[in-house]
Amino acid sequence: MKTRRLLILLLLAILIPLPFKAQSPCLSEENLRSRQDFRDAKFGIFLHWGLYSMLATGEWTMTNNNLNYREYAKLAGGFYPSKFDAARWVSAIKASGAKYICFTSRHHEGFSMFHTRYSDYNIVDATPFKRDVLKELADECHKQGIRLHLYYSHIDWYREDAPWGRTGRGTGRPNPEGNWDSYYQFMNNQLTELLTNYGEIGAIWFDGWWDQDQNPDFDWHLPEQYALIHRLQPACLVGNNHHQTPFEGEDIQIFERDLPGENKAGLSGQDISSLPLETCETMNGMWGYKITDQNYKSPKTLIHYLVKAAGRDANLLLNIGPQPDGELPAVALERLEQVGKWMQVYGETIYGTRGGCIAPHPWGVTTQKDGKLYVHILDLQDKSLFLPLEGVRVKRAVDFVTRHPVKMQKCKDGILIQLEEVPTDIDKVVELEIS
Ligand code: GLC
């Protein structure tokens, strides 16, 4: 009897892997569907836009230069993004093949890029522009059929009731000590507005949890906040850029500037969970608009990153920092177009796929769906390539684009594919029919 119970316990321990802990016990059907859609989407565009775009040195300028919070707030009086046109943004982003947009509703600077009742420090009440850019963006996203996600900062370098963390200490803002109840309420009020006034929101993307990582006793009270979101919109996914393995109540796992499993930027040592994955990366080197940064990644680098993310079963959230005049930088528009052209041809090997059964290799990655394994050859110096496919039956191999058969030879632990020449394409895709 005892051994049976032990056996059952052991079985349960094997069947319920750790990451499941991060999922709340009863997930709604809408939520599960939404996770699936998110996983299928594979590509989104991040937009970092706020008052900081006017200073054109990135979204951390306020704290990096210790700008006084009252002086900084005066930027709002001159913010008039006369060229802002949500329809043009959304069309350009859609044409890139991206399936969702993540917009900074309020970044660490504390300025709300939407009309909120809970603070005058917002785009409608504090600027001469007086337009709710989020409303315009949301309407356009819904019209053009692209999902909208909202970035929301836990950090606030402006409000006097926001907790002091390790950043933003030089902005002249007083320390509310332990008393930040009103700020917590403010955040939940704003989240309620965001999830009530702007139609369907695909995800809330939190950032800034790490501001308190030197204060182990600090508690952001996330479970209530997450429950509020799920109560208002059950299909809205919750993600948090805390650089940890997901917490209870989160629906997706976020990585920053690194592919899951890699840690070159130093923010991603965490375990990979079973939740849908996303990694964010900049097109140039900065999230918010930076006038001196023209160092945009090449189309090839961007496409490789997208493909490598898909090969690891992750979405790429690729960032653009809109200009203070409301336009997307010209080079960013060019990149959107270039990636879009590629996606038009190769999208089938990306959308709706899962990471393939061959783990990522230096030569490239694999993606998989409906009995097809797409071998994405990104960097190969030879004409032939060994694919470790032990136990997998390969019925057919064709060049994904030309549909010409690709020679293959079965060997002991897989197959050897032989190409006509050393591949020079951005991504040479060989499609294998497998069972
Ligand atoms: C970091 C930065 C922030 C940026 C975010 C995007 O957490 O604090 O400025 O919005 O990364 O991933």
Side-chain angles (χ1 to χ4, degrees), residues 46 48 59-60 104 107-108 151 205 207-208 210 241 243 256 280 287:
F46 214 165
H48 273 70
E59 76 290 352
W60 271 62
T104 47
H107 206 271
H108 310 334
Y151 171 107
W205 206 101
D207 190 23
W210 37 259
N241 186 33
H243 312 137
E256 180 176 337
C280 52
W287 302 100

Side-chain angles (χ1 to χ4, degrees), residues 17-29:
L18 253 179
F20 272 99
K21 272 196 176 161
Q23 305 185 355
S24 44
C26 46
L27 290 168
S28 67
E29 224 173 273

Side-chain angles (χ1 to χ4, degrees), residues 217-229:
D217 297 330
F218 191 87
D219 182 357
W220 283 106
H221 303 300
L222 297 178
E224 293 100 293
Q225 206 159 58
Y226 293 174
L228 170 76
I229 294 167

Side-chain angles (χ1 to χ4, degrees), residues 339-352:
V339 175
K341 281 203 178 118
W342 186 87
M343 280 299 248
Q344 261 175 26
V345 179
Y346 293 88
E348 192 185 322
T349 70
I350 303 289
Y351 300 126

Side-chain angles (χ1 to χ4, degrees), residues 239-384:
N240 193 327
N241 186 33
H242 45 43
H243 312 137
Q244 312 285 312
T245 29
F247 302 160
E248 177 122 12
E250 293 171 6
D251 302 302
I252 60 172
Q253 181 173 10
I254 296 171
F255 293 83
E256 180 176 337
R257 285 181 187 263
D258 258 307
L259 295 166
E262 292 187 344
N263 190 11
K264 293 179 188 152
L267 301 167
S268 308
Q270 67 275 35
D271 287 341
I272 301 171
S273 75
S274 63
L275 295 181
L277 311 175
E278 178 189 74
T279 180
C280 52
E281 180 54 292
T282 51
M283 251 196 208
N284 51 2
M286 195 52 105
W287 302 100
Y289 177 61
K290 183 174 175 188
I291 199 163
T292 52
D293 187 355
Q294 287 303 314
N295 194 16
Y296 280 80
K297 295 173 184 72
S298 68
K300 179 176 168 180
T301 303
L302 296 176
I303 292 165
H304 275 196
Y305 208 71
L306 172 62
V307 173
K308 285 180 186 175
R312 286 163 178 82
D313 212 3
N315 295 4
L316 170 62
L317 180 61
L318 182 60
N319 183 74
I320 299 173
Q323 295 167 178
D325 67 358
E327 285 198 315
L328 303 181
V331 189
L333 286 169
E334 210 178 286
R335 292 293 180 273
L336 288 177
E337 207 183 313
Q338 288 152 331
V339 175
K341 281 203 178 118
W342 186 87
M343 280 299 248
Q344 261 175 26
V345 179
Y346 293 88
E348 192 185 322
T349 70
I350 303 289
Y351 300 126
T353 61
R354 298 294 176 260
C357 58
I358 301 174
H361 276 71
W363 53 257
V365 298
T366 57
T367 54
Q368 192 167 338
K369 95 179 147 192
D370 306 331
K372 296 211 173 112
L373 182 70
Y374 301 105
V375 182
H376 296 264
I377 305 170
L378 304 173
D379 187 11
L380 185 68
Q381 266 84 56
D382 313 300
K383 283 198 241 172
S384 45

Side-chain angles (χ1 to χ4, degrees), residues 179-213:
N179 186 13
W180 59 283
D181 292 358
S182 56
Y183 177 65
Y184 183 69
Q185 189 54 50
F186 165 77
M187 288 195 289
N188 288 349
N189 288 340
Q190 283 210 319
L191 288 165
T192 305
E193 291 183 311
L194 291 171
L195 291 161
T196 311
N197 302 338
Y198 299 91
E200 238 175 71
I201 299 301
I204 297 288
W205 206 101
F206 286 111
D207 190 23
W209 174 93
W210 37 259
D211 204 34
Q212 298 292 338
D213 58 11

